[in-house]
Amino acid sequence: MHSMKALGITLIVVIGVGVIAGAITWAVIATREPAPPPPELIDLDWWQHCVLYQIYPRSFKDSDGNGIGDLKGITSQLEHFVEAGVDAMWMSPIFESPMVDFGYDISNFYEIHHEYGTMEDFDNLLRRAHELGIKVLLDFVPNHASNASEYFIKSEAMETGYEDFFVWADALPDPNNASNRLPPSNWVSQFANSAWEWSDVRQQYYLHQFAIEQPDFNFRNPAVKDEMIKIMKFWLDKGVDGFRVDALPYMMEADPADHGGRYPDDPLSGLAEFKPHQLGYTIPLYTKDLIELYDVVYEWREFIDQYQKDKGGETRVIFSEGYANVSMTMLYYGNEDGDIGAHFPFNFDFIRELSDESTARDFAYTVLRWLTYMPAGAVPNWQTGNHDNNRAPSRFRINMVDGLNSLNLLLPGVAVTYQGEEIGMRDGYVSWEDTVDVEALRRGDNETYLLYSRDPCRTPYHWNNSTNAGFSTGNRTWLPVAKDYPEINLAKQKDDARSHFKVYQTLIKLRKEKALSHGEFLIRALSNRTFYLVRYLRTYDTIVLLFNVADASDTIELSRVLKLELPATVVVSSIHSTRVAGDTIDGENLTLEAGEAIVLRAKPVS
Ligand code: FRU
Ligand code: CA
């Protein structure tokens, strides 16, 4: 269905050829055009090696003192990205919403949410960002709308053209009680309880894989697919550079036509710790990762590529989001039939596969796993956090901040930063009384909510040590500001001789070197505690990251680091390291303290 040409374009990125050579060779490779020039002479497209920063708008910067971040606030701080060296940003949803799921329940996909500002504020943000050379991506949420959206209201009222906009089904009779009704299947919502909700208006159930207030669109209805294209086109016409696409694994569910006219029950997991209303009670066979959903993604890629052809200008991109196993995740890139999907699916492996218990071997393995499964020539990406998960220093250890940022920024491909990671922000404490996250409120209670709550990673950004960390001048903020802001804030880190922010800035500058943008790489564990990452390319300096991920010191033999020729010079190191930029490393052995990372510059590989 897709021309091979399009993938040919992405094939130009040379990444870790040595290591992924053994990976699946995709049929499309055979169609590759004539031998490419030396790798470092190939211009990368803007997105292929960018630093992508995720803004959570509600918590970034409040411009009017109501305790809620907004678009003007973001615009007022765009220089932060320039100073940091960030190339692109994606914003969690800014569209009209009742805010049940803080913007992931959209009531109007074509309007800006009033607490965040106006369309004019958005236009200003976009213009200013582009003036500063920063690309802007929006969050596109196709799986569901708000139940307050016109789409849903019309569908519930059976208005012509909207009848099948959502997934509606009749109740099942209760064999034990004739006056009772049962939902169409046993499907469980991501936010607990049945994924079906009764509508008194329509006298049918509707599906909601997330909150009750987030009815799932029916992607088997062509009118829904047309509307999605219309939404994307609207924002592309405004000038956005692309989309982060939300919650894709849930986009389609089993078709009753294939199951005797009813929605089939998901199989039971058999796990005793889960009750029927809890996620985990069932295995989402009919509700997640359905193969049909990928065709929709491939169609979107076709649309966006066509848009590109028609309008010209800089490449517009789709970055897809979904927690799925590695094979199903890779299908978002494309398949072996030549269909092409997202420019990349977000890689959540550092979030889901690693923790404070992980060894250096686990780290190396996790990096190689993604690259092994990734289609040849595709662009990888890395990230250690986002708005849905506890912050990296809280999941790992606080002395690993610089090492994690180094790993993220020195690997090939795209580095994603979640707001606050550049200054080592940790989870904020949010009491049960202050909890607002729908997932925590619906899945948890006052004792268990922290297992589910996404509030701790969403507390306001720490700009400085003034009231509310400089986030807001209001008396109250929508989530409490984390208590550690006097110690961990951007202004302080700009002043301090050594800081996470300065390490971050140095790493981004380093990324511009050819060994990092175009080079090959090796990653290996030296012990359970320490691994190394080497980036090298012909005549360019070799860059080596050494990272002790354990909670105890480790002495390593530098002769075991392939491609590293001593002496080497320290470029940057963890702020608690005794080595500083400019130090020479020439010994046979090197002791790294717990959590210590150092980045070395060495002469080109001979
Ligand atoms: C990612 C996410 C969540 C949101 C859900 C539904 O999984 O973006 O933050 O609650 O999708 O839109
Ligand atoms: Ca769905």
Side-chain angles (χ1 to χ4, degrees):
M1 118 201 249
H2 285 264
S3 72
M4 297 298 170
K5 275 272 171 51
L7 193 61
I9 292 165
T10 63
L11 285 172
I12 59 176
V13 191
V14 176
I15 34 102
V17 181
V19 178
I20 54 168
I24 313 161
T25 311
W26 284 45
V28 287
I29 278 300
T31 69
R32 207 202 299 222
E33 266 101 88
E40 68 272 25
L41 296 182
I42 296 172
D43 281 340
L44 297 180
D45 202 349
W46 71 263
W47 61 274
Q48 292 176 313
H49 191 239
C50 70
V51 178
L52 174 66
Y53 189 102
Q54 179 188 354
I55 295 183
Y56 193 72
R58 215 172 169 77
S59 292
F60 194 61
K61 176 77 184 173
D62 172 21
S63 72
D64 59 4
N66 69 350
I68 296 170
D70 48 53
L71 297 182
K72 276 192 181 139
I74 297 170
T75 308
S76 72
Q77 299 300 329
L78 287 172
E79 271 79 12
H80 173 53
F81 303 123
V82 179
E83 262 178 74
V86 164
D87 307 290
M89 52 135 135
W90 78 265
M91 292 186 281
S92 283
I94 55 174
F95 317 107
E96 195 181 289
S97 166
M99 293 288 153
V100 171
D101 193 13
F102 293 107
Y104 285 97
D105 49 320
I106 302 173
S107 48
N108 187 339
F109 288 71
Y110 301 94
E111 278 296 345
I112 301 294
H113 178 64
H114 67 95
E115 288 171 315
Y116 297 161
T118 61
M119 193 59 90
E120 195 188 342
D121 295 335
F122 174 74
D123 291 337
N124 288 337
L125 188 165
L126 188 60
R127 182 171 2 93
R128 186 73 194 122
H130 282 167
E131 279 166 14
L132 293 170
I134 297 160
K135 300 280 192 289
V136 178
L137 277 71
L138 294 181
D139 205 339
F140 173 46
V141 186
N143 182 63
H144 43 264
S146 161
N147 60 344
S149 65
E150 288 287 305
Y151 305 128
F152 187 76
I153 294 167
K154 289 179 176 170
S155 190
E156 196 174 34
M158 293 281 258
E159 261 190 48
T160 315
Y162 291 90
E163 301 93 326
D164 297 325
F165 244 62
F166 295 86
V167 182
W168 292 100
D170 291 333
L172 294 182
D174 184 344
N176 304 317
N177 179 353
S179 64
N180 199 20
R181 60 173 169 255
L182 293 176
S185 69
N186 69 350
W187 298 352
V188 183
S189 149
Q190 293 305 297
F191 295 156
N193 297 309
S194 173
W196 296 100
E197 182 71 10
W198 178 254
S199 161
D200 270 336
V201 177
R202 180 156 156 162
Q203 293 288 303
Q204 274 190 313
Y205 280 94
Y206 68 85
L207 178 74
H208 60 91
Q209 293 241 39
F210 291 87
I212 291 168
E213 299 86 343
Q214 291 167 297
D216 273 48
F217 280 116
N218 173 15
F219 272 89
R220 297 185 192 277
N221 178 355
V224 167
K225 293 206 279 177
D226 289 350
E227 185 63 25
M228 294 300 139
I229 297 277
K230 234 180 96 189
I231 294 166
M232 280 194 279
K233 184 166 181 308
F234 175 83
W235 293 103
L236 288 171
D237 285 347
K238 283 207 153 277
V240 305
D241 300 287
F243 304 98
R244 172 264 189 195
V245 190
D246 182 68
L248 285 168
Y250 305 96
M251 197 156 61
M252 297 186 82
E253 297 77 25
D255 187 349
D258 301 331
H259 298 273
R262 62 155 287 187
Y263 286 98
D265 281 342
D266 271 333
L268 304 187
S269 69
L271 298 169
E273 65 264 41
F274 298 111
K275 306 209 171 62
H277 71 279
Q278 288 180 309
L279 206 55
Y281 184 76
T282 57
I283 297 168
L285 180 66
Y286 297 118
T287 43
K288 185 169 179 272
D289 301 330
L290 268 72
I291 201 71
E292 301 97 297
L293 77 85
Y294 294 92
D295 285 331
V296 180
V297 179
Y298 304 153
E299 284 169 19
W300 289 341
R301 176 60 183 267
E302 223 171 356
F303 158 72
I304 209 158
D305 284 352
Q306 187 57 48
Y307 189 94
Q308 189 68 35
K309 263 191 213 138
D310 296 345
K311 305 273 162 142
E314 305 233 26
T315 307
R316 282 88 166 173
V317 293
I318 296 177
F319 302 151
S320 68
E321 191 248 18
Y323 295 83
N325 71 34
V326 71
S327 308
M328 299 315 279
T329 300
M330 292 302 159
L331 280 179
Y332 289 108
Y333 276 116
N335 62 24
E336 295 196 4
D337 297 334
D339 291 323
I340 304 158
H343 291 74
F344 62 71
F346 281 105
N347 174 357
F348 297 132
D349 288 355
F350 291 163
I351 299 173
R352 287 297 160 111
E353 304 293 324
L354 298 176
S355 72
D356 57 350
E357 314 229 304
S358 303
T359 67
R361 297 180 201 285
D362 296 326
F363 272 77
Y365 177 75
T366 299
V367 167
L368 292 175
R369 195 178 82 125
W370 182 273
L371 296 167
T372 302
Y373 280 84
M374 188 179 76
V379 174
N381 72 96
W382 315 94
Q383 62 199 297
T384 59
N386 60 28
H387 67 296
D388 284 329
N389 292 281
N390 294 96
R391 284 183 172 276
S394 304
R395 289 198 329 275
F396 292 97
R397 277 182 290 276
I398 56 178
N399 61 14
M400 291 168 71
V401 166
D402 301 309
L404 291 168
N405 280 338
S406 303
L407 177 63
N408 207 21
L409 288 158
L410 299 181
L411 280 166
V414 173
V416 186
T417 298
Y418 174 54
Q419 74 179 38
E421 284 177 353
E422 73 279 27
I423 56 172
M425 274 181 67
R426 306 163 191 176
D427 281 343
Y429 172 71
V430 182
S431 68
W432 171 245
E433 289 69 32
D434 284 340
T435 293
V436 290
D437 176 24
V438 62
E439 179 165 5
L441 295 172
R442 306 233 172 131
R443 290 182 73 183
D445 55 32
N446 60 351
E447 290 189 347
T448 59
Y449 75 100
L450 283 175
L451 291 173
Y452 311 108
S453 185
R454 299 171 297 176
D455 290 335
C457 69
R458 297 174 175 179
T459 61
Y461 188 85
H462 301 175
W463 294 101
N464 54 46
N465 65 3
S466 70
T467 315
N468 295 327
F471 162 70
S472 170
T473 55
N475 306 326
R476 213 174 168 275
T477 54
W478 79 284
L479 274 177
V481 176
K483 292 233 159 24
D484 54 15
Y485 78 88
E487 285 311 306
I488 303 170
N489 67 70
L490 180 65
K492 179 171 188 299
Q493 294 197 16
K494 285 188 189 174
D495 284 347
D496 288 350
R498 297 178 77 180
S499 69
H500 299 314
F501 184 63
K502 287 190 172 166
V503 171
Y504 183 81
Q505 280 180 309
T506 306
L507 290 164
I508 293 189
K509 286 203 187 91
L510 194 60
R511 271 175 82 79
K512 309 279 187 275
E513 294 192 18
K514 292 287 185 188
L516 291 163
S517 59
H518 291 70
E520 311 220 12
F521 81 98
L522 284 169
I523 187 164
R524 298 262 207 285
L526 290 166
S527 67
N528 280 334
R529 294 179 182 169
T530 304
F531 71 83
Y532 69 84
L533 167 70
V534 180
R535 300 300 311 277
Y536 62 101
L537 182 66
R538 302 194 311 127
T539 55
Y540 302 92
D541 284 355
T542 297
I543 303 295
V544 179
L545 165 67
L546 301 165
F547 187 9
N548 175 358
V549 298
D551 59 0
S553 68
D554 191 25
T555 300
I556 56 168
E557 286 169 56
L558 287 176
S559 59
R560 289 182 52 213
V561 180
L562 298 171
K563 310 282 179 194
L564 171 62
E565 288 185 37
L566 297 177
T569 314
V570 175
V571 186
V572 64
S573 57
S574 310
I575 59 171
H576 68 289
S577 171
T578 54
R579 287 109 185 165
V580 293
D583 283 3
T584 302
I585 302 292
D586 202 4
E588 268 170 36
N589 295 330
L590 187 78
T591 300
L592 291 171
E593 296 308 322
E596 181 175 355
I598 60 175
V599 179
L600 303 175
R601 175 187 298 286
K603 63 178 178 219
V605 285
S606 40

